[in-house]
Amino acid sequence: MPNKDNILIEMQKLSDAAPAGFALAFHIQYTRPTFLFQTYPAAWISEYSEKGMVMSDPTVHWGFENDGFKRWSDLADQDSIGVLTQAATYGLAFGVTCAYGRDESRSMCSFARTDREFTDDECVALLGCVQSLHDATLGLETLDGPLLKALQELGVIVSQPGG
């Protein structure tokens, strides 16, 4: 059984490491994640959703096809509609996407900063957290009340089945 305390610890690490926010999609089946955790600015989440940017987002395309991490600056030439440029207007100027998958599911997560690129060591640490969270949430159907409340207190918007 997954240790739910570990989920909270890893999420705190990610909040500290990505001061401009993050979006974490765990256990994607087809195009829908079981869990989606977000701390990006609400206005950006709204614009991204309303404009259906997920279909053209180069970070998402990369995440479905790769494991590991990739800085957003390395994906700029694949950004046909300017998703990354628009994200920067909301303070998401520098970012990295981490992707991890197993046969039964795939997870991808993006992290942002306003001030500088993520270092290689930071990217490796973020990927490690993603792998830990992927494994910790595998097999969970929903997050319970106390954990959900603790995540919300961290400023995390949680989307999950039935939620």
Side-chain angles (χ1 to χ4, degrees):
M1 176 147 184
N3 183 336
K4 294 180 181 178
D5 288 338
N6 286 345
I7 294 172
L8 191 57
I9 291 167
E10 295 296 323
M11 293 293 271
Q12 181 63 60
K13 288 180 192 175
L14 295 178
S15 291
D16 293 343
F22 58 72
L24 317 174
F26 288 101
H27 312 295
I28 301 166
Q29 302 287 322
Y30 303 103
T31 60
R32 185 174 181 96
T34 300
F35 299 105
L36 178 63
F37 306 100
Q38 299 182 83
T39 63
Y40 287 147
W44 171 243
I45 293 171
S46 179
E47 180 174 342
Y48 186 90
S49 178
E50 287 172 11
K51 292 185 176 178
M53 290 185 197
V54 70
M55 302 302 290
S56 301
D57 188 335
T59 68
V60 173
H61 290 269
W62 183 88
F64 272 120
E65 297 174 0
N66 298 277
D67 283 328
F69 66 85
K70 189 79 158 178
R71 287 180 187 85
W72 295 355
S73 58
D74 294 329
L75 296 169
D77 63 338
Q78 299 167 38
D79 191 8
S80 62
I81 67 164
V83 174
L84 300 174
T85 302
Q86 292 174 63
T89 67
Y90 290 89
L92 313 176
F94 301 95
V96 63
T97 296
C98 297
Y100 179 70
R102 301 256 173 108
D103 291 339
E104 65 276 5
S105 71
R106 177 149 207 79
S107 296
M108 67 180 78
C109 308
S110 287
F111 307 93
R113 303 184 61 93
T114 59
D115 56 343
R116 63 172 174 78
E117 291 277 9
F118 286 90
T119 67
D120 285 349
D121 288 344
E122 289 170 328
C123 292
V124 168
L126 289 168
L127 181 58
C129 287
V130 167
Q131 291 168 332
S132 292
L133 284 166
H134 174 94
D135 292 342
T137 57
L138 188 62
L140 288 180
E141 293 182 21
T142 60
L143 301 179
D144 63 13
L147 177 58
L148 194 57
K149 184 177 181 191
L151 290 171
Q152 291 167 339
E153 288 173 359
L154 281 177
V156 178
I157 299 166
V158 179
S159 301
Q160 63 181 349

